[in-house]
Amino acid sequence: MRKLFPLLVLSLLLSSNAAVAEKAAERGVNSERLMLAGDRPDPSITRDGDTYYMVHSSFEYAPGLLIYRSKDLVRWEPLVNALHRYVGSVYAPDIVKHNGRWYIYFPVVTPAHTTNMVVWADSPEGPWSEPVDLQIGGIDPGHAVDAEGNRYLLMSNGYLVPLAADGLSATGPARKVYDGWEFPKEWDVEGFCLEGPKIRKIGKYYYMLTAEGGTAGPPTSHMVVVARAERLTGPWENSPYNPLVHTYSPDERWCSKGHGTLIDTPDGQWYVVYHAYERGFYTLGRQTLIEPVAMTEDGWPAAVARPAKKQPAKQETAASFSDDFSTDRTGTQWQFAGEYDPQRARRENRTLVMQARGNDPSDACPMLFVTGDHAYEMEVEAQCAPEAVAGLVLFYNPKLYTGIGLDKGRLAIHVLGRAESFDVQLPRHVWFRLRNDRHVVSFWYSPDGRNWTKADKSCETSGYHHNMAGEFLSLRPGIYAAGYGEVVFRNFKYKTL
Amino acid sequence: MRKLFPLLVLSLLLSSNAAVAEKAAERGVNSERLMLAGDRPDPSITRDGDTYYMVHSSFEYAPGLLIYRSKDLVRWEPLVNALHRYVGSVYAPDIVKHNGRWYIYFPVVTPAHTTNMVVWADSPEGPWSEPVDLQIGGIDPGHAVDAEGNRYLLMSNGYLVPLAADGLSATGPARKVYDGWEFPKEWDVEGFCLEGPKIRKIGKYYYMLTAEGGTAGPPTSHMVVVARAERLTGPWENSPYNPLVHTYSPDERWCSKGHGTLIDTPDGQWYVVYHAYERGFYTLGRQTLIEPVAMTEDGWPAAVARPAKKQPAKQETAASFSDDFSTDRTGTQWQFAGEYDPQRARRENRTLVMQARGNDPSDACPMLFVTGDHAYEMEVEAQCAPEAVAGLVLFYNPKLYTGIGLDKGRLAIHVLGRAESFDVQLPRHVWFRLRNDRHVVSFWYSPDGRNWTKADKSCETSGYHHNMAGEFLSLRPGIYAAGYGEVVFRNFKYKTL
């Protein structure tokens, strides 16, 4: 932390927002920081001693609820998945430690219904329980405990639901306790959308951070607002410094900033962790950011960072996604879209053997991963059973993807979820390459991994994102196997351009 | 090198070219110039004495084939529509004068079939004939006349079709005469897509400009290439200076430049007129550009302009689209999407009385116009029959639009072609306002045109374009009337922001 914010002393109590901002500028704390790149939305973060744990919405990707661990809020290690089944679309979770046990509360949305579930474990490393259906409506549960030790969930739209002592069932009806903060009517937002409550007790007050304005749509849509109360049932008093986090102009680097959790360091510095889209790269999904906050004299967390305008010349990127399949990265890197069958793919002698599913990428439940890169290239070697097909894909959802693959022995290029078959014969043992250079996507194929031919078709994918296709997803790179039989993948290579 | 830096090499090697470039630079012609803003794709231009005439693809909008007239290649006056019926999607036309009579050849694409038609007139002002179906396949007819006075159409994919002397029927089968120019394999394009042939006889040669690379997709997809021949049947020799027009980098202001026609001034200066998407504003469709070309010593048109990188701080915009309905601007400003029924709308006492169609904007065949503005606001007053509804819309196609309107007496906001009904009662006499500020779209309503309320929902439309939805269209502002009965519109107001 000291390397990033060398002169930062946030234990200072400052009297006003403007003064806080001025002080921060003097200290060089001039903007929000990208903490976890790529599609890591709806972060929930907590600290246990000197260790931080964070979890995000999983949406359609499984296994889900990947827990990240960090000692410094800079380096994050993927630890373990707390959800090993596909249960529907997993919205904003909350990770908490309570009486020595760990819980993750999360909403589950399917076409048929919306509910909320919980998994628990005695340690963040797991093993995590099977999901328990709490059978309560609303979304975005935030866990809280009152002065008497009773447990509750704060839900979207300001509802409070009492929980049993073990936290595994609801014990009464939801009750409205908070109406949100009324933001200026002239702001361009998606709607009121009071959601993502996260509770933190500081002194005599419960502080509740909620998201408003909608998570996507206009770049100025989202925000984090603060309210406090002495009791969970209220009355809740809105902060005079609201919003704590917000994108004020479409010219900022980070769009639709919102959905925050307060976190403090062992030495008493305060931060807010939230998510945002990167301007021009909505395709990457909502990325996890962090910025310092100051506690004011009148006891409110207040913004001190100044928003960044420009994208850095050099991208922050660290992870290597190349995979020779010598170890199992399921869950920590790879996820399946729309299902999870642990029996479907196995690692053998530095290969990944995957059972085919469906007919093409749309129903093949492809195996994908999250990247934060603006430009990258990937390759894979695939050996297909006689009636299997395979390829590389950038997948948003079953209707919206692009990719290259086999199609009945011929080259197929997929654009906007539709296949175009080319008059090019491909062998069943074939190599594919896909390049995504700032939304310009191009394709290559090779019979031997050495002699490459560029396909005659490229496409442009800047619009493959939530504002066009909904569902809060991202355009994720990966591989697919469809048709019948098995596909043997080797040497998945990835590089940042 | 030559392909990457055409101006540099031309300056070194070609004295005439360099001189022209120098002249152009002196005159301030140092890059392509936006000649007709907004969705004016596939331009075909010709000159008759000192007067230029230009026509564009109409696609789904009718009445179509709006002829523009200019004396200076700067100020363009909408003259008359040459097509008064909806016949299907009208692709790239060609306007020619032959033996004192005027013709526009154009492709018509429907879900059932593709054909080519012609309309003719004794003057560009009309009256223009009913369309004549030539019953030939392919698209993008380009008219040409051989040394013996025989008439032909050059078609997409290099086919030549003989025409009767009156130009109103084909007299033989299509014959392949040209294979196109092979562009570098490493370019990111949509495909080969040899189309849009335009023929110009200069000296002993026929010069054919064709489009290649696909009109959308990657910013570097499109181009104009040149070939020449002494006979229309070939052999066609490709220009060593190809491509004449091309976007070499996604960082250029104009993307997918291509589909050009050569035009000369009365004093012998040469230009190429073509279209391109503006970077960041694919929603506006393909806009008409012009740039000077030099005739080289070896008799080829060659590029001399340097591509612009930046968008100007101030937009070029001139037209006033505000309409008090005191005059009939059907065709010159307003077009209907997907149909044209002249009986549907009438002007009365500074009102537009429109018969309702369909249930909502998707099937209401809204009345739209073309703008080139990055940011604008529009308002209209609407008085609805008891079972009619109306509103303002930004319409791409029946599946993709946004807008504000009435829905069963309540406020409805349409996003991504789906209506969201709000708990806001609206009177049948109501005012609407819609703002599109660089893709952030916001909505207002008023019971009296003075007291306005902003709707709680905005949206973001940067992806409402061909690369997401196909069909070669644009996101056009306008009004719609749906349900049953009539809607009386007054005081359509438009301003550039």
Side-chain angles (χ1 to χ4, degrees):
Chain A
M1 293 314 298
R2 291 188 187 283
K3 280 180 181 174
L4 284 168
F5 304 123
L7 302 174
L8 186 62
V9 186
L10 280 173
S11 52
L12 280 177
L13 294 178
L14 298 168
S15 59
S16 77
N17 226 7
V20 168
E22 201 176 317
K23 278 284 184 191
E26 283 171 16
R27 292 192 304 268
V29 182
N30 55 11
S31 70
E32 61 285 82
R33 175 169 65 82
L34 176 59
M35 193 163 71
L36 207 54
D39 191 18
R40 302 295 178 194
D42 303 323
S44 167
I45 184 171
T46 192
R47 178 171 61 81
D48 187 35
D50 64 352
T51 307
Y52 303 91
Y53 298 92
M54 184 162 59
V55 69
H56 302 82
S57 292
S58 309
F59 292 105
E60 290 291 331
Y61 312 103
L65 295 177
L66 176 60
I67 299 170
Y68 278 90
R69 180 167 64 185
S70 175
K71 294 279 191 185
D72 57 7
L73 296 173
V74 175
R75 287 159 298 179
W76 287 91
E77 167 202 6
L79 186 62
V80 68
N81 293 90
L83 183 61
H84 297 272
R85 297 202 285 126
Y86 176 80
V87 292
S89 192
V90 173
Y91 282 28
D94 194 22
I95 182 168
V96 292
K97 185 183 182 186
H98 177 73
N99 284 348
R101 181 163 279 179
W102 291 77
Y103 302 83
I104 301 176
Y105 292 90
F106 57 98
V108 174
V109 178
T110 70
H113 77 313
T114 295
T115 187
N116 285 267
M117 298 187 182
V118 60
V119 289
W120 60 270
D122 289 325
S123 154
E125 290 84 355
W128 286 86
S129 74
E130 281 293 295
V132 178
D133 189 346
L134 299 170
Q135 298 181 326
I136 55 177
I139 58 169
D140 301 1
H143 184 264
V145 183
D146 72 10
E148 293 75 37
N150 298 308
R151 304 174 67 174
Y152 295 87
L153 293 178
L154 267 294
M155 306 296 300
S156 55
N157 294 318
Y159 282 89
L160 183 72
V161 178
L163 289 182
D166 65 3
L168 304 183
S169 62
T171 57
R175 171 183 166 191
K176 178 106 173 171
V177 297
Y178 178 54
D179 290 324
W181 175 70
E182 197 170 325
F183 50 81
K185 186 78 178 167
E186 65 269 22
W187 289 6
D188 294 327
V189 299
E190 276 196 314
F192 190 62
C193 306
L194 180 63
E195 59 195 32
K198 297 285 184 299
I199 310 295
R200 177 67 189 247
K201 184 90 182 284
I202 307 172
K204 68 175 180 178
Y205 288 114
Y206 293 93
Y207 287 83
M208 175 160 54
L209 271 58
T210 46
E212 292 182 0
T215 197
T220 57
S221 65
H222 218 200
M223 68 198 82
V224 177
V225 304
V226 182
R228 71 184 180 193
E230 294 188 39
R231 304 176 62 84
L232 290 170
T233 50
W236 289 91
E237 176 194 8
N238 279 311
S239 168
Y241 305 100
N242 275 338
L244 179 61
V245 174
H246 180 54
T247 300
Y248 288 88
S249 158
D251 297 328
E252 294 183 29
R253 178 184 175 195
W254 296 104
C255 302
S256 295
K257 294 192 293 194
H259 203 114
T261 308
L262 274 182
I263 189 74
D264 60 340
T265 62
D267 60 349
Q269 299 175 24
W270 286 94
Y271 294 85
V272 58
V273 171
Y274 57 94
H275 69 201
Y277 286 104
E278 188 169 12
R279 186 187 60 222
F281 290 90
Y282 274 54
T283 48
L284 294 176
R286 293 164 294 172
Q287 313 189 40
T288 301
L289 306 185
I290 184 171
E291 66 178 61
V293 297
M295 286 296 172
T296 65
E297 276 183 354
D298 49 348
W300 291 101
V304 293
R306 290 170 193 254
K309 296 271 181 184
K310 290 192 175 174
Q311 269 147 356
K314 180 75 185 151
Q315 265 185 266
E316 308 90 339
T317 186
S320 166
F321 300 118
S322 291
D323 188 356
D324 64 4
F325 304 118
S326 59
T327 59
D328 189 347
R329 299 190 188 179
T330 304
T332 52
Q333 172 173 344
W334 300 102
Q335 292 174 293
F336 293 86
E339 74 157 22
Y340 178 53
D341 173 3
Q343 308 305 318
R344 187 182 166 196
R346 63 183 191 276
R347 272 79 180 165
E348 283 179 3
N349 304 323
R350 293 179 179 261
T351 70
L352 177 78
V353 184
M354 194 186 293
Q355 294 285 336
R357 275 278 192 294
N359 297 304
D360 59 32
S362 72
D363 52 0
C365 299
M367 193 175 89
L368 311 168
F369 62 99
V370 171
T371 179
D373 287 340
H374 293 176
Y376 54 88
E377 196 173 282
M378 57 178 174
E379 285 179 21
V380 78
E381 175 185 348
Q383 210 168 343
C384 300
E387 295 185 59
V389 298
L392 291 167
V393 72
L394 301 183
F395 194 81
Y396 187 86
N397 69 17
K399 292 179 181 173
L400 186 60
Y401 55 86
T402 182
I404 180 172
L406 272 173
D407 180 25
K408 299 182 182 67
R410 305 208 301 178
L411 170 68
I413 303 289
H414 306 266
V415 175
L416 291 170
R418 290 186 293 272
E420 184 179 340
S421 184
F422 285 75
D423 192 15
V424 174
Q425 302 293 322
L426 291 183
R428 289 196 285 117
H429 189 173
V430 61
W431 281 251
F432 293 114
R433 180 191 296 159
L434 184 154
R435 178 189 293 164
N436 178 0
D437 186 358
R438 296 175 298 161
H439 312 307
V440 174
V441 179
S442 305
F443 312 95
W444 287 258
Y445 53 92
S446 168
D448 53 17
R450 290 184 302 277
N451 299 292
W452 291 91
T453 303
K454 188 168 192 261
D456 286 337
K457 190 176 188 71
S458 300
C459 68
E460 193 277 323
T461 60
S462 63
Y464 285 45
H465 56 68
H466 174 85
N467 284 353
M468 293 305 295
E471 299 187 34
F472 312 105
L473 306 172
S474 65
L475 190 62
R476 296 190 176 187
I479 59 180
Y480 71 91
Y484 297 94
E486 288 183 340
V487 175
V488 180
F489 290 104
R490 287 186 185 83
N491 293 316
F492 178 82
K493 296 178 189 170
Y494 177 97
K495 65 177 177 187
T496 304
L497 298 179
Chain B
M1 281 304 286
R2 191 189 66 232
K3 283 156 191 165
L4 287 171
F5 303 106
L7 179 56
L8 173 62
V9 174
L10 286 169
S11 300
L12 291 173
L13 298 182
L14 304 165
S15 56
S16 62
N17 216 20
V20 169
E22 205 175 314
K23 278 278 186 194
E26 282 170 17
R27 291 195 306 270
V29 184
N30 55 8
S31 68
E32 63 283 81
R33 174 169 65 82
L34 176 59
M35 193 162 72
L36 207 54
D39 191 17
R40 301 296 178 194
D42 303 323
S44 167
I45 185 171
T46 192
R47 179 170 62 82
D48 188 35
D50 64 353
T51 307
Y52 303 91
Y53 297 91
M54 184 162 60
V55 69
H56 303 82
S57 291
S58 309
F59 292 105
E60 290 292 331
Y61 312 103
L65 295 177
L66 176 60
I67 299 170
Y68 278 90
R69 180 168 64 185
S70 175
K71 295 278 191 186
D72 57 8
L73 296 173
V74 175
R75 287 160 298 179
W76 288 91
E77 167 202 6
L79 185 62
V80 68
N81 293 90
L83 183 62
H84 297 273
R85 297 202 285 127
Y86 176 80
V87 292
S89 192
V90 173
Y91 282 28
D94 194 22
I95 182 168
V96 292
K97 184 182 182 186
H98 177 73
N99 283 349
R101 180 164 279 180
W102 291 77
Y103 301 83
I104 301 176
Y105 291 90
F106 57 98
V108 174
V109 178
T110 71
H113 78 312
T114 295
T115 187
N116 285 268
M117 298 187 181
V118 60
V119 289
W120 60 270
D122 289 325
S123 153
E125 290 85 354
W128 285 85
S129 74
E130 281 293 295
V132 178
D133 189 346
L134 299 170
Q135 298 182 326
I136 55 177
I139 58 170
D140 301 2
H143 183 264
V145 183
D146 72 11
E148 294 75 37
N150 299 308
R151 302 174 68 173
Y152 295 87
L153 294 178
L154 267 295
M155 306 296 299
S156 55
N157 295 317
Y159 283 88
L160 183 72
V161 177
L163 289 181
D166 65 3
L168 303 183
S169 63
T171 56
R175 170 183 166 191
K176 178 107 172 170
V177 297
Y178 178 54
D179 291 324
W181 175 70
E182 196 170 326
F183 50 81
K185 186 79 179 167
E186 65 269 22
W187 288 6
D188 294 327
V189 299
E190 276 197 313
F192 190 62
C193 307
L194 180 64
E195 59 195 32
K198 297 285 185 299
I199 310 296
R200 176 69 189 246
K201 184 91 182 283
I202 307 172
K204 68 175 179 179
Y205 288 114
Y206 293 94
Y207 287 83
M208 175 159 55
L209 271 58
T210 46
E212 292 182 1
T215 196
T220 57
S221 66
H222 218 199
M223 68 198 82
V224 177
V225 304
V226 182
R228 71 183 179 193
E230 293 187 41
R231 304 176 62 84
L232 290 171
T233 50
W236 289 91
E237 175 194 9
N238 278 312
S239 168
Y241 305 102
N242 275 338
L244 179 61
V245 175
H246 180 54
T247 300
Y248 288 88
S249 158
D251 297 328
E252 294 183 28
R253 178 184 175 195
W254 296 104
C255 302
S256 295
K257 295 192 291 194
H259 203 114
T261 308
L262 274 182
I263 188 74
D264 60 340
T265 62
D267 61 349
Q269 297 175 26
W270 286 94
Y271 294 87
V272 58
V273 171
Y274 57 94
H275 69 201
Y277 286 105
E278 188 169 12
R279 186 187 61 222
F281 290 91
Y282 274 54
T283 48
L284 294 176
R286 293 164 294 171
Q287 312 189 41
T288 301
L289 307 185
I290 184 170
E291 66 178 60
V293 297
M295 285 295 172
T296 65
E297 281 183 350
D298 49 348
W300 291 101
V304 293
R306 292 171 193 258
K309 296 272 181 184
K310 290 191 175 175
Q311 268 146 358
K314 180 76 185 152
Q315 265 185 265
E316 308 91 338
T317 186
S320 166
F321 300 117
S322 291
D323 188 357
D324 65 4
F325 304 118
S326 60
T327 58
D328 189 348
R329 299 190 188 180
T330 304
T332 52
Q333 172 173 343
W334 300 102
Q335 292 174 292
F336 293 86
E339 73 157 22
Y340 178 52
D341 173 4
Q343 308 304 318
R344 187 182 166 196
R346 63 183 191 277
R347 272 79 180 165
E348 284 179 3
N349 304 321
R350 293 179 179 262
T351 69
L352 177 78
V353 183
M354 194 186 294
Q355 294 286 336
R357 275 280 192 291
N359 297 304
D360 60 32
S362 72
D363 52 359
C365 299
M367 193 175 90
L368 311 168
F369 62 99
V370 171
T371 178
D373 286 340
H374 294 176
Y376 54 88
E377 196 173 281
M378 57 177 175
E379 285 179 21
V380 78
E381 175 185 347
Q383 210 168 344
C384 300
E387 295 185 60
V389 297
L392 290 167
V393 72
L394 301 183
F395 195 82
Y396 187 86
N397 69 17
K399 291 180 181 172
L400 185 61
Y401 55 87
T402 182
I404 180 171
L406 272 173
D407 180 25
K408 300 182 181 65
R410 305 208 301 179
L411 170 68
I413 303 288
H414 305 266
V415 175
L416 291 170
R418 290 185 293 271
E420 184 179 341
S421 184
F422 286 75
D423 192 14
V424 174
Q425 302 293 322
L426 291 182
R428 289 197 284 117
H429 189 174
V430 61
W431 281 251
F432 293 114
R433 180 192 296 158
L434 184 154
R435 177 189 293 163
N436 178 1
D437 186 357
R438 296 175 297 161
H439 311 307
V440 174
V441 179
S442 306
F443 311 96
W444 287 258
Y445 53 92
S446 169
D448 53 17
R450 290 184 302 278
N451 300 292
W452 291 91
T453 303
K454 187 167 192 261
D456 287 337
K457 190 177 188 71
S458 300
C459 68
E460 193 277 324
T461 60
S462 63
Y464 285 45
H465 56 67
H466 174 85
N467 284 353
M468 293 305 295
E471 299 187 34
F472 312 105
L473 306 172
S474 65
L475 190 62
R476 296 190 176 187
I479 59 180
Y480 71 91
Y484 297 93
E486 288 183 341
V487 176
V488 180
F489 291 104
R490 287 186 185 84
N491 293 316
F492 178 83
K493 297 178 189 170
Y494 177 96
K495 65 177 176 187
T496 304
L497 299 179

